[in-house]
C-alpha cells in the first residue's frame, strides 16, 4: 500500500489519429454539464470533435433512412464555449494541423479535475510560440467553466491576434454511423453583448424547445473588441508579445438551460453568473476544494497501474454523476456526458453504476431512481399497449420515458441498415427493481422503499407475472418473445419474427422480483399496504399467482449446463479459431457474420455474459436460494460447468462482459479472473472495442471496475441490516483500501492487506455497524477500528 500512484493521465506528442480518443478520456464535467477535451483552436472535423452536453437535454428529430422515416431522440451537442484561436496578424490561424509542432503534451489531473495542455509551435526563422492552457468545469458551481491560456514568445516580439468565441453553429456529428440522421438540433441562435463586455448566445432546441443561455467573459492586459457573426459571438484582442515573457488570457463562461430551477430566464441567469464569477485563480481554488471533498467521499486506494486506471474510471464516474445530479431529472447515460454514441440514452447500465454509488453518494442513487419513478406511468402505458398489466420500462430511455430504441441500426462493416429488436430486452425492468432493493438496503432508506420504491417494484413484478404463460407439458410458466443481455441472439434461425423463449437470466430475475415484491408487501405498515393495494387493485388471487409464478418459471438446461435460452444447445457450434484467424478481433461477431450473409442467431456464440450475469448480481448462497425456490438443481458443479461452457462461447463484444467474467471467476477463485479484470480495466484507455471510446466512454464498465474492488473482491453486501464480507484472494489485487457511507456512518474505511482486514468507523452518532464474516460476526462502534485475520 506504500507504492506511490502517479495520479495524472498524460499524452506526449500530437497524434491526429488519437485525438478523438484523447478528447473523450480528457472530458471535464461536474454532473450538470461536460465538455470534451478538444483543443480550443480546433473546429469539428474528421480529427477533432469539441462537444458540450448538459445532463437531460434531449431533442427529437425525424430522418429519412433506407427509405423509411425514422425518429430519434438525442442528447444535444450544445453551443461550443471553447473556441480560442490565435495567429500572427495577417497569417493563418495556428493549429497542430496547420503548423509545425515542436512539443505537445496533454495532462489530465483527476485529483483536481483540471486539464492542462502545453504546445510549442515553430513559426519559422527561429521563432517559436509556447502555449499553456488550463481548463476546468467547475465542480462547486455547476454552471461555470473557465479556460486560462498563457502565451510565451521565443525569438520574436510583436502582436498576437487572439479570437475567442461562443459558437452556436454546432450539430450532432460525432458518430459516423449516425451521419444519415438529422443532427441539427439547435435553432433561433442569437448573440449579443452587455455594457460590461460580456458576450452572450441564446438558442433553443428545435422540438423539445429547451432554451439555452451561454455567456462569456474575456480577461487580458489588452483591450477586447466584440464582433457578432451569427451564429458566433466573437471577442478579439491583440496581445503584445515580448520574447521570454508570458502573457495570459482568461475565458470564463456560464451555462444555463430552461430546465434549471430557481431562474426566470437562462440567458439572464448566465450573464449574471459570469459577471459575478471571480477570477481564474479563485475559481480554480474553489474548484479544487469541491473535488477534494468529493474524493474523500469516494476514496479508492489501489496500488500500481491498476490503481491509476481505477482512479481515472472513478473520476469519469464522479464528473458524470456528481452531487449536482441529485437535483436533476436524469438517468445514467451509458456513454457518460462524453460523446454522442447511443445518443445519450439510458439503458440498463445503472445496474453496474448504482451499487457503487449507493455506498458513497446515496443521494445521487436516489435521484437516479426518482428518474425511473417519474416514468413509471409511461412504463405502465407501454405494458397496456401490449395487453399486459404492470410496468414495461423501455430498453432505451431519454427525456420522457417512451421507448427510444431505434427501429434500424447500421452495420458499418456491410453498410446495411438492419432491424433492431433490442427493445425486447424487458429485463431492464428487473435491473430497476434490483437497484431499488439494493439502494434501500445500503442506504437504509425505508421511506423510499415504502413509497416510490414499492410502487415501481410492484408494477414491475405485476408485468412479469402477466407475461408468464403456463405450459401444461412442462408444468411450468414460461416467458416468451424476449431478448436477454446477449444482444447477438434476437430470434430463432429461420423464424418469421423476433424474440426468444425462456431466457434464463430474464426468468430468474423475474422470479427474484416477484419474491421481493411479496416480501415487501408482507413487511409494509398496514396503512401503506392498504394504500398500495387500493392504488394497484391487487387482490389475494393475484398475489397467489405471483407466488406461483415465482416458483415455477422455466429454467432450461442442456448438456448438464444452464441454457442461455430454450433451444440454445441446439444451435450450431461456431468455428471460433477459424474466425479469429480470418478476422483477428471478433468482438463484433454479429457484424462479421451479417456482412458474410450469415447470422449469429444460428450459433452458440454470445456477445457478453448472459446466464453468468446471475453470478455477478447474487452471491452463491443467494443464487442457490433462488434456484431452490424454482425447484431447479444448482450446486457448485453445475455452476462451474455452466461458467466453463459460456467462457468458450463468448466474444466479449461489450465492455461489460470483462467485468462480469472477472467478477464471477474471482468469486470462484479461478486463475483466469485477472485476464478479464485486465480487459475491463483496459476497455476505454486502450479502446479495445476499436474506435468506440472516441464517441464516449463506457460508464457502466468504468463504474463496474471500481465496484469489482469494492464489492467483488470483498464479497461486500448490504443486506438484512448488516455489512456482509467474504473476501476472495486475487494475487494481482491483494491490497486495497476504500471508504464508504453506510446507514448514516460517513467515512467508514475498509483496508485489506493480503489476509489482514481492517474496518474503521469514524466517531459519530449513528449506531454501531454489524459486520458479518463467514462463520462470525463483529460489531464495530463509531470511533473504533476492528482488525480481522482472514483464513488462507
Amino acid at each position: 500500500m506504500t507504492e506511490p500512484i502517479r495520479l495524472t493521465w498524460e499524452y506526449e506528442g500530437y497524434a491526429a489519429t488519437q485525438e478523438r480518443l484523447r478528447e473523450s478520456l480528457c472530458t471535464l464535467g461536474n454532473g450538470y454539464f461536460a465538455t470534451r477535451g478538444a483543443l480550443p483552436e480546433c473546429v469539428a472535423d474528421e480529427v477533432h470533435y469539441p462537444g458540450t452536453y448538459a445532463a437531460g437535454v434531449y431533442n427529437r428529430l425525424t430522418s429519412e433512412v433506407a427509405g423509411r422515416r425514422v425518429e430519434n431522440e438525442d442528447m444535444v451537442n450544445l453551443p461550443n464555449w471553447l473556441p480560442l484561436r490565435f495567429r500572427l496578424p495577417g497569417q493563418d490561424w495556428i493549429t497542430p494541423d496547420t503548423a509545425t509542432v515542436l512539443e505537445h503534451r496533454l495532462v489530465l489531473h483527476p485529483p483536481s479535475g483540471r486539464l492542462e495542455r502545453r504546445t510549442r509551435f515553430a513559426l519559422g526563422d527561429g521563432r517559436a510560440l509556447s502555449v499553456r492552457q488550463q481548463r476546468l468545469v467547475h465542480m462547486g458551481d455547476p454552471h461555470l467553466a473557465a479556460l486560462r491560456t498563457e502565451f510565451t514568445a521565443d525569438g520574436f516580439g510583436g502582436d498576437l491576434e487572439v479570437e475567442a468565441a461562443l459558437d452556436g453553429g454546432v450539430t450532432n456529428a460525432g458518430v459516423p454511423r449516425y451521419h444519415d440522421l438529422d443532427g441539427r438540433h439547435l435553432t433561433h441562435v442569437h448573440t449579443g453583448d452587455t455594457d460590461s463586455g460580456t458576450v452572450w448566445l441564446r438558442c433553443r432546441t428545435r422540438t423539445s424547445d429547451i432554451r439555452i443561455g451561454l455567456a462569456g467573459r474575456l480577461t487580458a492586459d489588452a483591450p477586447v473588441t466584440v464582433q457578432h457573426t451569427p451564429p458566433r459571438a466573437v471577442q478579439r484582442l491583440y496581445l503584445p508579445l515580448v520574447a521570454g515573457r508570458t502573457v495570459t488570457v482568461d475565458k470564463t463562461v456560464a451555462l444555463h438551460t430552461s430546465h434549471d430551477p430557481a431562474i426566470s430566464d437562462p440567458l439572464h441567469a448566465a450573464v449574471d453568473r459570469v459577471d459575478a464569477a471571480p477570477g481564474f485563480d479563485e475559481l480554480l481554488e474553489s474548484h479544487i476544494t469541491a473535488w477534494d471533498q468529493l474524493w474523500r467521499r469516494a476514496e479508492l486506494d489501489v496500488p500500481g497501474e491498476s490503481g491509476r486506471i481505477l482512479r481515472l474510471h472513478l473520476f469519469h464516474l464522479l464528473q458524470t454523476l456528481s452531487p449536482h445530479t441529485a437535483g436533476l431529472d436524469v438517468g445514467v447515460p451509458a456513454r457518460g456526458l462524453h460523446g454522442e454514441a447511443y445518443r445519450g440514452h439510458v439503458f440498463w447500465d445503472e445496474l453496474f453504476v448504482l451499487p457503487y454509488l449507493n455506498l458513497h453518494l446515496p443521494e445521487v442513487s436516489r435521484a437516479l431512481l426518482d428518474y425511473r419513478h417519474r416514468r413509471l406511468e409511461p412504463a405502465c402505458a407501454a405494458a397496456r399497449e401490449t395487453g399486459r398489466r404492470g410496468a414495461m420500462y423501455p430498453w432505451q430511455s431519454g427525456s420522457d420515458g417512451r421507448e427510444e430504441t431505434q427501429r434500424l441500426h447500421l452495420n458499418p462493416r456491410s453498410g446495411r441498415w438492419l432491424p433492431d429488436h433490442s427493445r425486447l430486452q424487458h429485463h431492464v425492468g428487473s435491473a430497476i427493481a434490483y437497484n431499488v432493493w439494493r439502494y434501500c438496503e445500503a442506504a437504509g432508506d425505508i421511506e423510499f422503499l415504502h413509497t416510490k420504491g414499492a410502487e415501481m417494484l410492484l408494477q414491475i413484478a405485476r408485468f412479469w407475472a402477466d407475461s408468464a404463460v403456463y405450459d401444461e407439458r412442462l408444468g411450468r410458466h414460461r416467458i416468451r418473445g424476449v431478448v436477454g443481455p446477449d444482444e447477438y441472439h434476437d430470434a430463432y434461425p429461420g423464424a418469421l419474427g423476433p424474440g426468444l423463449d425462456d431466457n434464463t437470466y430474464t426468468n430468474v430475475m423475474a422470479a427474484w422480483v416477484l419474491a421481493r415484491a411479496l416480501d415487501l408487501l408482507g413487511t409494509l405498515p398496514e396503512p401503506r399496504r392498504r394504500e398500495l393495494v387500493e392504488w394497484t387493485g391487487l387482490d389475494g388471487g393475484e398475489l397467489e399467482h405471483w407466488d406461483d409464478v415465482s416458483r415455477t418459471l422455466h429454467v432450461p438446461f442442456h448438456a448438464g449446463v444452464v441454457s442461455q435460452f430454450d433451444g440454445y444447445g441446439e444451435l450450431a457450434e461456431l468455428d471460433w479459431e477459424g474466425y479469429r484467424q480470418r478476422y483477428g478481433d471478433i468482438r463484433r461477431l454479429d457484424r462479421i457474420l451479417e456482412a458474410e450473409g450469415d447470422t449469429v442467431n444460428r450459433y452458440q456464440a454470445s456477445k457478453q455474459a448472459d446466464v453468468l450475469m446471475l453470478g455477478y448480481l447474487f452471491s452463491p448462497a443467494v443464487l442457490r436460494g433462488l434456484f431452490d425456490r424454482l425447484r431447479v438443481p444448482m450446486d457448485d458443479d453445475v455452476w462451474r460447468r455452466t461458467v466453463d461452457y459460456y467462457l468458450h462461447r463468448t466474444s466479449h463484444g461489450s465492455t461489460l462482459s470483462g467485468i462480469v467474467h472477472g467478477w464471477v471467476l474471482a468469486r470462484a477463485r479461478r486463475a483466469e479472473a485477472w485476464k478479464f479484470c485486465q480487459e475491463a480495466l483496459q476497455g476505454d484507455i486502450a479502446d479495445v472495442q476499436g474506435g468506440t471510446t472516441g464517441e464516449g466512454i463506457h460508464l457502466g464498465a468504468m463504474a463496474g471496475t471500481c465496484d469489482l474492488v469494492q464489492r467483488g473482491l470483498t464479497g461486500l453486501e448490504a443486506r438484512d441490516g448488516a455489512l456482509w464480507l467474504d473476501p476472495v484472494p486475487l494475487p494481482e489485487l491483494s491490497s486495497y483500501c476504500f471508504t464508504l457511507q453506510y446507514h448514516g456512518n460517513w467515512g467508514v474505511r475498509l483496508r485489506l492487506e493480503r489476509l489482514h482486514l481492517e474496518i474503521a468507523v469514524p466517531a459519530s452518532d449513528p449506531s454501531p455497524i454489524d459486520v458479518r464474516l463467514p462463520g462470525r460476526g463483529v460489531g464495530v462502534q463509531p470511533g473504533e477500528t476492528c482488525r480481522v485475520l482472514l483464513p488462507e
Side-chain angles (χ1 to χ4, degrees), residues 169-187:
V170 301
T171 64
N172 277 48
V175 180
R177 296 185 304 284
Y178 304 163
H179 280 181
D180 287 345
L181 305 176
D182 190 350
R184 298 165 298 146
H185 291 284
L186 301 178
T187 187

Side-chain angles (χ1 to χ4, degrees), residues 129-369:
L129 177 68
S130 294
V131 180
R132 180 189 181 221
Q133 290 179 320
Q134 296 184 78
R135 183 189 311 179
L136 62 88
V137 175
H138 206 281
M139 185 54 79
D141 186 328
H143 301 281
L144 288 177
L147 173 70
R148 166 166 284 182
T149 306
E150 298 170 315
F151 298 101
T152 306
D154 182 4
F156 76 101
D159 284 346
L160 180 73
E161 183 182 354
V162 178
E163 180 190 278
L166 306 178
D167 184 6
V170 301
T171 64
N172 277 48
V175 180
R177 296 185 304 284
Y178 304 163
H179 280 181
D180 287 345
L181 305 176
D182 190 350
R184 298 165 298 146
H185 291 284
L186 301 178
T187 187
H188 294 90
V189 180
H190 300 280
T191 64
D193 57 275
T194 68
D195 293 341
S196 63
T198 295
V199 295
W200 54 260
L201 182 152
R202 70 180 177 196
C203 59
R204 60 182 61 209
T205 54
R206 285 172 61 188
T207 60
S208 56
D209 202 31
I210 300 170
R211 291 172 292 131
I212 298 151
L214 186 64
R217 181 184 74 199
L218 203 63
T219 306
D221 289 332
V224 178
T225 60
V226 175
Q227 179 182 355
H228 297 288
T229 55
R232 302 170 78 240
V234 177
Q235 294 170 296
R236 183 174 283 107
L237 55 84
Y238 290 86
L239 289 176
L241 298 183
V242 176
R245 285 180 50 189
T246 298
V247 293
T248 301
V249 178
D250 288 340
K251 183 178 185 179
T252 306
V253 299
L255 172 68
H256 275 276
T257 80
S258 54
H259 278 180
D260 298 343
I263 65 168
S264 61
D265 176 74
L267 178 58
H268 292 159
V271 170
D272 290 346
R273 190 171 295 271
V274 82
D275 284 347
F280 185 88
D281 290 328
E282 190 174 338
L283 278 175
L284 179 60
E285 183 180 0
S286 58
H287 171 68
I288 291 174
T289 298
W291 265 109
D292 284 345
Q293 294 170 349
L294 190 52
W295 280 118
R296 287 200 297 270
R297 293 185 66 180
E299 178 187 354
L300 178 62
D301 184 8
V302 176
E305 182 65 6
S306 296
R308 191 169 76 101
I309 298 171
L310 286 166
R311 188 86 167 181
L312 177 71
H313 288 184
L314 183 52
F315 171 72
H316 284 298
L317 172 63
L318 294 175
Q319 63 176 0
T320 303
L321 301 168
S322 80
H324 299 299
T325 306
L328 304 176
D329 178 31
V330 298
V332 176
R335 304 300 285 272
L337 300 174
H338 298 60
E340 294 162 14
Y342 299 169
R343 301 178 181 85
H345 290 171
V346 178
F347 294 70
W348 72 325
D349 298 72
E350 62 211 67
L351 191 60
F352 299 83
V353 173
L354 263 65
Y356 186 85
L357 292 178
N358 291 342
L359 294 167
H360 300 279
L361 302 170
E363 73 277 20
V364 175
S365 290
R366 177 165 175 152
L368 296 170
L369 292 171

Side-chain angles (χ1 to χ4, degrees), residues 421-569:
H421 302 304
S422 58
R423 66 185 59 237
L424 296 177
Q425 293 191 70
H426 303 319
H427 62 81
V428 65
S430 296
I432 295 166
Y434 181 91
N435 276 330
V436 166
W437 195 265
R438 289 300 188 212
Y439 159 73
C440 293
E441 290 267 21
D445 193 343
I446 300 301
E447 185 270 337
F448 186 86
L449 180 63
H450 288 179
T451 54
K452 297 175 181 178
E455 291 168 10
M456 287 188 282
L457 193 59
L458 294 180
Q459 293 289 20
I460 294 166
R462 172 176 268 174
F463 171 77
W464 285 130
D466 223 36
S467 298
V469 177
Y470 190 71
D471 187 311
E472 293 283 355
R473 180 181 59 85
L474 289 174
R476 292 238 166 212
H477 283 89
R478 310 185 69 182
I479 297 177
R480 299 179 180 272
V482 300
V483 173
D486 166 32
E487 295 174 316
Y488 278 0
H489 292 93
D490 61 6
Y492 287 105
L496 296 178
L500 305 164
D501 298 337
D502 295 318
N503 172 260
T504 290
Y505 173 78
T506 299
N507 284 12
V508 174
M509 288 301 295
W512 180 87
V513 172
L514 287 161
R516 295 291 73 74
L518 291 166
D519 288 346
L520 178 58
L521 281 170
T523 58
L524 282 173
E526 194 281 330
R528 177 55 179 157
R529 186 179 191 277
R530 180 179 176 182
E531 287 180 358
L532 286 171
V533 167
E534 291 173 347
W535 175 66
T536 58
L538 280 170
D539 58 38
E542 186 173 0
L543 296 180
E544 288 179 9
H545 178 59
W546 288 16
D547 185 68
D548 184 36
V549 173
S550 75
R551 299 177 187 276
T552 60
L553 276 166
H554 181 46
V555 177
F557 276 70
H558 72 276
V561 303
V562 181
S563 299
Q564 182 171 305
F565 53 82
D566 187 48
Y568 185 89

Side-chain angles (χ1 to χ4, degrees), residues 460-766:
I460 294 166
R462 172 176 268 174
F463 171 77
W464 285 130
D466 223 36
S467 298
V469 177
Y470 190 71
D471 187 311
E472 293 283 355
R473 180 181 59 85
L474 289 174
R476 292 238 166 212
H477 283 89
R478 310 185 69 182
I479 297 177
R480 299 179 180 272
V482 300
V483 173
D486 166 32
E487 295 174 316
Y488 278 0
H489 292 93
D490 61 6
Y492 287 105
L496 296 178
L500 305 164
D501 298 337
D502 295 318
N503 172 260
T504 290
Y505 173 78
T506 299
N507 284 12
V508 174
M509 288 301 295
W512 180 87
V513 172
L514 287 161
R516 295 291 73 74
L518 291 166
D519 288 346
L520 178 58
L521 281 170
T523 58
L524 282 173
E526 194 281 330
R528 177 55 179 157
R529 186 179 191 277
R530 180 179 176 182
E531 287 180 358
L532 286 171
V533 167
E534 291 173 347
W535 175 66
T536 58
L538 280 170
D539 58 38
E542 186 173 0
L543 296 180
E544 288 179 9
H545 178 59
W546 288 16
D547 185 68
D548 184 36
V549 173
S550 75
R551 299 177 187 276
T552 60
L553 276 166
H554 181 46
V555 177
F557 276 70
H558 72 276
V561 303
V562 181
S563 299
Q564 182 171 305
F565 53 82
D566 187 48
Y568 185 89
E570 299 169 18
L571 301 178
E573 289 283 11
L574 183 79
D575 180 9
W576 290 90
E577 190 55 37
Y579 272 89
R580 288 191 179 97
Q581 289 178 2
R582 289 166 60 188
Y583 292 98
D585 185 352
I586 61 169
R587 287 183 176 86
R588 290 313 305 264
L589 189 61
D590 57 333
R591 292 175 175 173
I592 291 171
L593 288 168
E594 193 278 329
E596 291 182 346
D598 203 348
T599 171
V600 74
N601 279 323
R602 296 202 309 115
Y603 300 98
Q604 294 185 41
S606 301
K607 176 184 179 182
Q608 64 197 85
D610 195 299
V611 174
L612 302 193
M613 275 295 301
L614 297 171
Y616 174 78
L617 296 178
F618 301 112
S619 67
V622 173
L623 188 58
R624 279 193 298 271
L626 271 172
F627 276 81
D628 286 345
R629 182 184 181 92
L630 289 164
R631 298 192 296 278
V632 173
M634 174 56 68
D635 56 27
D636 291 344
D637 288 339
V638 172
W639 183 248
R640 176 184 50 77
R641 289 196 304 269
T642 300
V643 170
D644 287 340
Y645 189 87
Y646 291 104
L647 272 177
H648 296 98
R649 291 167 176 81
T650 304
S651 72
H652 307 293
S654 165
T655 54
L656 299 173
S657 194
I659 294 162
V660 176
H661 283 83
W663 184 298
V664 170
L665 291 171
R667 295 304 307 169
R669 301 171 183 252
R670 297 271 291 269
E672 312 101 300
W674 183 240
K675 168 191 169 185
F676 292 101
C677 294
Q678 278 286 82
E679 178 158 326
L681 288 169
Q682 294 290 322
D684 274 325
I685 63 169
D687 198 11
V688 299
Q689 296 290 333
T692 62
T693 301
E695 302 166 354
I697 55 99
H698 298 82
L699 190 66
M702 285 189 166
T705 57
C706 299
D707 201 34
L708 175 66
V709 176
Q710 175 178 268
R711 295 191 309 121
L713 299 185
T714 62
L716 174 62
E717 289 184 280
R719 58 181 170 88
D720 303 328
L723 282 180
W724 298 72
L725 292 163
D726 184 13
V728 292
L730 186 63
E732 297 85 356
L733 273 178
S734 59
S735 300
Y736 47 84
C737 173
F738 57 85
T739 59
L740 54 86
Q741 181 178 334
Y742 176 72
H743 287 202
N745 288 282
W746 288 50
V748 178
R749 183 185 300 271
L750 273 73
R751 179 184 298 275
L752 191 136
E753 290 267 9
R754 293 178 173 82
L755 298 178
H756 297 273
L757 175 66
E758 180 180 289
I759 306 165
V761 181
S764 59
D765 291 335

